[in-house]
């Protein structure tokens, strides 16, 4: 009798899991700003406190080899469109209004879509709708980047217009944004939804959060930003992620919502940190590991096996097709050439193809910056300098992550020559 009951229980569990997978999951994609891989304790970091993200990784899948571009705008073009920068990146903060983003794709798949947070694009109401978002509340428009009212007294623009100064007074940007996330969840409880939440945290200007005693008297117009507040900003970022996960649990949507968290590039150079095996400084803007290696966590209770560490090579073009596969979209031709490779099956524990190397085209301000291209795998990295009329720079980044010692052809092993 016990064996029969056990078999029935197993069949019931299999049925529930199969039924859930037959439905399109809700998706929330949270993108932290200027948060490198060592920012999380679960990744070996020792300088910051991230209990919610650590728990998210322990109960989901943590990725050890996710790479972004060294600066936010190039990274965001890659993830929004699934394309390498040479295909559609013409200038900092300018995306063609006719470009197709994952917002278009998810809306086409029947999702209600929302964009809450850092847009860093020149926008109009029609442009965000053109890019596929039903609801939005965004900051750091190109015309607002000088003042950078992004934390206390934030500058925000939504479907209904610019947030009045009186409504933003003494408010904190990510408190408003997470409120919008919660409202969107409540209003779409019975619809599949896709939320893109690119946080304000933890970019400059470094300033107190509402959990700091200095916040009440802080005046962003005159007070001088200080890196002393950065650990608190990381903790507040982590707190907001935890609040979103708790919200999903409280409304009964945790098991039907795939949550993915990532950072968009490394820490600012002014930020120092320690890990289990090294001390370092932020590498934002550089093509070193400290500029491009970012955290990536996938969390979906009941679907992702707890505590899995994935060491596949992932880059930001891979998010677009991953969202597509989660939403059961099989034809991506209408969205142009997609360079990414889905890792959706792999987060579910199924075997699937993974990239063996990553390619990057990095030219953040065309005409002003020096174009850099490179390919890498887990061990080696090769810069393309052929267009400069000299041989490329080749590094063993596993042993030399700071890229101090380029490998000369004369010292390469047979394996390295064929890599």
């Amino acid at each position: 009798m016990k064996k029969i009951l056990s078999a029935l229980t197993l069949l019931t569990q299999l049925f529930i899991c199969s039924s859930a997978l037959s439905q399109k999951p809700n998706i929330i994609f949270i993108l932290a700003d200027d948060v490198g891989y060592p920012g999380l304790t679960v990744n070996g970091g020792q300088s910051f406190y991230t209990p919610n993200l650590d728990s998210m990784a322990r109960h989901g899948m943590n990725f050890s080899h996710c790479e972004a571009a060294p600066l936010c705008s190039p990274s965001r073009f890659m993830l929004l469109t699934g394309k390498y920068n040479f295909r559609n990146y013409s200038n900092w903060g300018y995306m063609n209004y006719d470009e197709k983003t994952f917002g278009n794709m998810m809306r086409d798949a029947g999702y209600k879509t929302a964009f809450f947070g850092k847009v860093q694009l020149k926008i109009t109401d029609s442009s965000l709708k053109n890019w596929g978002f039903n609801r939005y509340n965004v900051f750091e428009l190109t015309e607002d980047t000088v003042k950078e009212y992004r934390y206390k007294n934030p500058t925000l623009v939504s479907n209904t217009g610019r947030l009045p100064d009186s409504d933003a007074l003494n408010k904190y940007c990510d408190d408003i944004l997470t409120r919008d996330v919660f409202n969107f969840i409540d209003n779409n409880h019975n619809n599949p939804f896709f939320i893109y939440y690119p946080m304000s945290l933890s970019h400059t200007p470094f300033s107190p959060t509402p959990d700091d005693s200095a916040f009440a008297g802080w005046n962003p117009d005159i007070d001088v930003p200080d890196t002393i507040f950065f650990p608190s900003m990381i903790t507040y970022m982590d707190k907001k992620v935890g609040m979103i996960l708790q919200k999903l649990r409280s409304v009964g949507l945790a098991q039907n919502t795939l949550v993915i968290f990532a950072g968009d590039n490394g820490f600012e150079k002014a930020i120092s940190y320690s890990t289990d095996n090294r001390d370092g400084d932020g590498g934002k803007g550089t093509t070193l590991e400290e500029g491009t290696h970012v955290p990536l966590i996938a969390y979906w209770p009941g679907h992702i096996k707890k505590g899995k560490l994935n060491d596949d090579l992932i880059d930001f073009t891979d998010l677009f097709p991953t969202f597509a596969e989660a939403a059961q979209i099989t034809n991506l031709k209408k969205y142009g050439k997609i360079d990414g490779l889905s890792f959706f099956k792999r987060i579910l524990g199924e075997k699937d193809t993974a990239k063996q190397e990553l390619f990057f085209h990095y030219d953040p301000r065309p005409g002003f910056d020096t174009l850099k291209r490179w390919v890498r795998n887990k061990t080696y990295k090769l810069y393309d300098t052929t267009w400069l009329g000299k041989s490329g720079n080749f590094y063993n980044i596993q042993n030399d992550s700071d890229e101090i010692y380029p490998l000369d052809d004369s010292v390469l092993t047979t394996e390295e020559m064929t890599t």
Side-chain angles (χ1 to χ4, degrees):
M1 185 66 177
K2 287 183 178 179
K3 289 183 178 181
I4 294 174
L5 289 173
S6 177
L8 287 172
T9 300
L10 177 61
L11 286 171
T12 300
Q13 290 173 341
L14 290 172
F15 173 78
I16 292 171
C17 183
S18 174
S19 176
L21 281 176
S22 69
Q23 302 173 9
K24 297 177 181 180
N26 306 311
I27 300 174
I28 301 177
F29 176 42
I30 306 171
L31 184 68
D33 202 352
D34 292 358
V35 176
Y37 185 80
L40 279 57
T41 311
V42 73
N43 292 340
Q46 297 180 341
S47 299
F48 312 111
Y49 183 58
T50 56
N52 293 295
L53 285 163
D54 298 344
S55 176
M56 184 178 171
R58 288 194 299 269
H59 290 84
M61 180 173 286
N62 195 18
F63 292 82
S64 60
H65 278 100
C66 181
E67 298 285 322
L71 287 172
C72 45
S73 189
S75 284
R76 290 158 199 262
F77 269 69
M78 291 167 66
L79 67 89
L80 279 165
T81 67
K83 299 175 176 63
Y84 296 132
N85 283 169
F86 72 85
R87 298 195 190 279
N88 61 357
Y89 188 94
S90 60
N91 205 347
W92 183 274
Y94 288 87
M95 180 181 285
N96 190 302
Y97 286 177
D98 296 327
E99 186 67 58
K100 300 298 184 184
T101 76
F102 52 47
N104 298 105
M105 177 182 68
M106 301 306 288
R107 190 168 66 182
D108 291 346
Y111 280 70
K112 298 297 183 181
T113 58
F115 187 143
F116 300 128
K118 179 177 177 177
V119 60
Q120 201 171 50
L121 297 169
K122 185 175 178 61
I123 69 161
T124 64
D125 182 63
S126 61
S127 66
L128 277 172
K129 289 177 180 175
N130 285 351
W131 295 328
F133 296 99
N134 301 113
R135 277 276 293 114
Y136 65 86
N137 195 12
V138 297
F139 72 92
E140 205 179 59
L141 314 173
T142 53
E143 65 268 26
D144 294 328
T145 54
V146 176
K147 276 290 190 181
E148 288 197 274
Y149 287 123
R150 61 182 290 151
Y151 293 119
K152 191 175 183 180
N153 310 335
T155 299
L156 289 162
V157 176
S158 72
N159 298 72
T160 57
R162 188 177 293 267
L163 182 70
D165 291 343
S166 57
D167 291 345
L169 184 63
N170 296 322
K171 301 295 196 304
Y172 195 74
C173 184
D174 278 290
D175 289 343
I176 296 172
L177 297 176
T178 50
R179 177 201 66 192
D180 291 340
V181 169
F182 297 162
N183 288 341
F184 196 80
I185 291 171
D186 289 337
N187 292 333
N188 292 282
H189 196 283
N190 297 316
N191 303 310
F193 59 77
F194 176 87
I195 299 173
Y196 175 38
Y197 172 30
M199 313 178 83
S200 66
L201 294 153
S202 296
H203 193 284
T204 56
F206 305 124
S207 55
T209 75
D211 286 348
D212 295 307
S213 59
F215 180 79
W218 185 264
N219 185 339
D221 281 322
I222 61 175
D223 288 325
V224 179
D226 194 325
T227 56
I228 195 173
F229 295 114
F230 188 74
S232 176
M233 295 170 73
I234 291 289
T235 299
Y236 207 75
M237 171 198 75
D238 178 83
K239 177 180 179 178
K240 290 294 155 183
V241 174
M243 289 172 65
I244 290 172
L245 299 184
Q246 178 56 38
K247 174 66 176 180
L248 293 171
R249 289 190 287 266
S250 69
V251 297
L253 290 178
Q255 291 194 322
N256 195 36
T257 305
L258 169 62
V259 182
I260 295 180
F261 171 88
D264 69 342
N265 50 247
F267 296 128
E268 280 277 359
K269 295 178 182 179
I271 301 300
S272 298
Y273 64 87
S274 297
T275 70
D276 294 339
N277 53 29
R278 67 171 287 169
D279 295 330
D281 296 316
K284 177 181 176 179
T286 75
T287 59
L288 303 176
E289 285 289 279
E290 287 178 327
T292 63
H293 190 195
V294 296
L296 176 67
I297 302 171
Y299 174 82
W300 190 8
H303 302 277
I304 298 175
K305 190 174 180 179
K306 293 181 180 181
K308 297 295 290 184
L309 181 66
N310 186 303
D311 69 348
D312 292 343
L313 289 169
I314 304 287
D315 69 47
F316 268 26
T317 64
D318 298 332
L319 288 155
F320 190 108
T322 299
F323 297 149
E325 189 166 9
Q328 302 174 19
I329 302 167
T330 57
N331 188 349
L332 295 179
K333 289 183 179 179
K334 67 185 292 185
Y335 307 107
K337 169 62 177 176
I338 303 300
D339 295 302
L341 182 67
S342 171
F343 54 88
F344 181 68
K345 286 188 178 68
R346 285 174 275 154
I347 69 173
L348 298 179
E350 301 174 22
K351 290 186 177 181
D352 199 14
T353 303
K355 287 181 174 178
Q356 298 306 302
E357 59 277 322
L358 304 179
F359 165 79
F360 286 88
H361 172 103
Y362 177 62
D363 193 11
R365 299 174 183 86
F368 296 93
D369 294 317
T370 300
L371 168 65
K372 292 186 178 181
R373 292 194 189 103
W374 66 93
V375 292
R376 60 154 298 165
N377 59 22
K378 295 175 186 177
T379 306
Y380 297 103
K381 184 174 182 180
L382 175 66
Y383 288 92
D384 175 15
T385 58
T386 55
W387 57 282
L388 294 176
K390 61 180 181 180
S391 60
N393 289 327
F394 186 44
Y395 297 91
N396 183 324
I397 52 176
Q398 198 168 63
N399 298 331
D400 179 23
S401 63
D402 293 325
E403 300 177 18
I404 297 172
Y405 307 107
L407 300 175
D408 189 83
D409 289 353
S410 63
V411 301
L412 299 183
T413 65
T414 302
E415 179 185 358
E416 288 170 340
M417 288 291 289
T418 58
T419 295

